[in-house]
């Protein structure tokens, strides 16, 4: 890559994609000599990007948290708004949105100075969402989510406290493999060193995650798809309901009313709605809030539930 400007952007992207690069690997990815790589790193530093370097045979480079937000990317207010938006999107029921948001959030947090992280946390704790999770679904601390996401990305052995239902808290040490979002819950799949086996951990039951500094070699995962593996392991404990309905209203209006907890597809005169819910009450409430006629396609038990609700409402409205 001969263009210095394009090469600098490529270098920045590589440094954000992995916690640590050896000099030889990084130079090979860019197709330049180690000497040219050093000049490119110096160029990034001049622009304000905090790149740390280690010397010796195993020397290399890493993008470190900075004393100031890197220039030419985001100003302070934009960075705070982006982090808050990604945290909200991490709870989305839109297919693929949650995992993508967490990966992006991990990149932002990695280079965000402490003063901005404090602003994000203060705003998050002071903000109440009208479309937050149902009370039965425990919220996950965004700091826990991003810490575990970075550990999965960097293949870093991680320790944390874990409290299963009805049991005491224990300390666990895990080689994290993947974060999985199912419904409105997050799960960590990893190799539990204490049990010597693969385990699934619910993130809302996990606390104080911290890296040990040890990098592990990937193990062969016993399934092709991490989400399918988690779904099979948690079984009935997940309790997911997939609701499908047709709503006689424009897709945009339905999205605006239901919020991020549904997948809405335009269907000409109306739209198709798919909701992953924890109970029938939530799905019924979401469809009712569209303010438009709708037809339930599945599951059949939702139709019975709606009839019961209609009878209760009719009785409540009787003279």
């Amino acid at each position: 890559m001969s263009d210095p400007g394009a090469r600098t952007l490529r270098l920045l992207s590589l440094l954000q994609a992995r916690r640590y690069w050896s000099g030889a690997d990084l130079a090979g990815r860019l197709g330049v000599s180690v000497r040219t790589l050093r000049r490119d790193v110096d160029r990034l530093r001049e622009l304000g990007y905090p790149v740390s370097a280690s010397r010796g045979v195993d020397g290399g480079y890493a993008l470190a948290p900075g004393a100031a937000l890197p220039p030419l990317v985001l100003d302070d207010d934009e960075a705070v708004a982006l982090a808050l938006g990604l945290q909200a999107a991490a709870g989305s029921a839109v297919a693929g949105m949650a995992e993508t948001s967490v990966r992006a959030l991990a990149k932002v947090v990695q280079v965000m100075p402490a003063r901005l992280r404090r602003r994000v946390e203060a705003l998050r704790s002071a903000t109440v969402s009208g479309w937050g999770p149902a009370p039965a679904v425990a919220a996950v601390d965004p700091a826990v989510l991003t810490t575990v996401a970075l550990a999965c990305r960097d293949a870093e052995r991680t320790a944390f406290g874990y409290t299963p239902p009805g049991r005491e808290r224990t300390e666990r040490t895990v080689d994290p493999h993947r974060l999985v979002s199912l419904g409105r819950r997050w799960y960590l799949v990893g190799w539990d060193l204490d049990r010597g086996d693969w385990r699934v951990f619910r993130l809302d039951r996990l606390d104080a995650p911290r890296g040990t500094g040890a990098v592990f070699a990937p193990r062969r995962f016993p399934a092709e798809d991490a989400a399918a593996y988690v779904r099979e392991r948690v079984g009935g404990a997940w309790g997911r309901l997939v609701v499908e309905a047709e709503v006689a209203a424009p897709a945009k209006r339905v999205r605006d009313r239901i919020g991020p907890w549904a997948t809405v597809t335009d269907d000409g005169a109306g739209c198709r709605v798919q909701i992953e819910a924890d109970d029938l009450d939530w799905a019924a409430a979401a469809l009712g809030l569209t303010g438009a006629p709708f037809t339930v396609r599945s599951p059949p038990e939702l139709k019975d539930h709606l009839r019961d609700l209609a009878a209760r409402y009719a009785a409540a409205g009787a003279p």
Side-chain angles (χ1 to χ4, degrees):
M1 188 178 293
S2 58
D3 186 318
R7 198 170 61 240
T8 300
L9 290 175
R10 174 61 175 158
L11 172 59
L12 179 59
S13 176
L14 289 170
L15 289 171
Q16 289 179 331
R18 186 190 296 180
R19 182 184 62 175
Y20 180 83
W21 287 89
S22 72
D25 285 346
L26 207 49
R29 288 293 187 101
L30 295 172
V32 297
S33 67
V34 174
R35 177 177 295 181
T36 300
L37 173 63
R38 284 198 292 266
R39 288 199 297 267
D40 290 341
V41 169
D42 288 339
R43 186 178 297 112
L44 277 180
R45 289 168 175 159
E46 290 171 1
L47 292 172
Y49 293 90
V51 182
S52 61
S54 57
R55 298 182 180 277
V57 177
D58 296 322
Y61 299 91
L63 188 63
L69 197 69
L72 306 180
V73 180
L74 299 168
D75 62 29
D76 285 6
D77 291 339
E78 289 170 338
V80 171
L82 177 62
L84 289 171
L86 289 171
Q87 287 178 6
S92 173
V94 179
M97 182 63 72
E99 289 88 347
T100 303
S101 299
V102 168
R103 290 199 303 271
L105 181 59
K107 286 184 178 181
V108 172
V109 169
Q110 183 187 26
V111 295
M112 183 175 282
R115 59 187 171 79
L116 293 188
R117 288 198 295 269
R118 287 193 294 269
R119 281 182 58 187
V120 170
E121 179 56 29
L123 285 170
R124 187 191 66 81
S125 61
T127 302
V128 177
S129 171
W131 283 103
V137 181
V140 175
D141 184 344
V144 170
L145 197 57
T146 51
T147 298
V148 175
L150 287 169
C152 290
R153 187 198 69 177
D154 296 334
E156 182 179 10
R157 187 161 293 164
T158 303
F160 52 80
Y162 194 69
T163 310
R167 293 161 60 186
E168 293 185 356
R169 179 185 182 277
T170 57
E171 282 290 325
R172 313 293 278 268
T173 303
V174 171
D175 289 347
H177 174 67
R178 190 79 76 244
L179 273 174
V180 174
S181 173
L182 290 180
R184 285 178 285 164
R185 289 196 176 103
W186 281 97
Y187 298 87
L188 167 65
V189 182
W191 178 266
D192 190 326
L193 276 79
D194 302 307
R195 276 68 177 175
D197 196 6
W198 291 96
R199 288 289 189 269
V200 175
F201 303 93
R202 251 178 61 179
L203 253 64
D204 57 285
R205 296 172 178 165
L206 185 154
D207 64 85
R210 63 268 182 204
T212 64
V215 178
F216 60 89
R219 288 181 173 83
R220 183 180 179 277
F221 189 61
E224 292 185 4
D225 180 67
Y229 180 83
V230 172
R231 190 177 293 116
E232 180 182 351
R233 294 294 291 267
V234 301
W238 181 25
R240 183 187 75 156
L241 290 167
V242 179
V243 172
E244 295 183 352
E246 295 176 1
V247 181
K252 183 180 184 305
R253 173 184 161 188
V254 173
R255 287 192 196 96
D256 291 343
R257 286 177 174 256
I258 296 181
W261 307 111
T263 301
V264 182
T265 306
D266 198 344
D267 190 20
C271 61
R272 295 190 302 274
V273 176
Q274 184 180 81
I275 302 171
E276 291 190 359
D278 303 286
D279 54 57
L280 292 173
D281 284 328
W282 164 254
L287 289 171
L289 284 171
T290 63
F294 62 87
T295 303
V296 174
R297 294 305 178 194
S298 66
E301 55 265 32
L302 178 57
K303 297 182 179 181
D304 296 333
H305 189 69
L306 287 170
R307 281 191 285 269
D308 291 340
L309 284 176
R312 294 210 305 269
Y313 288 147

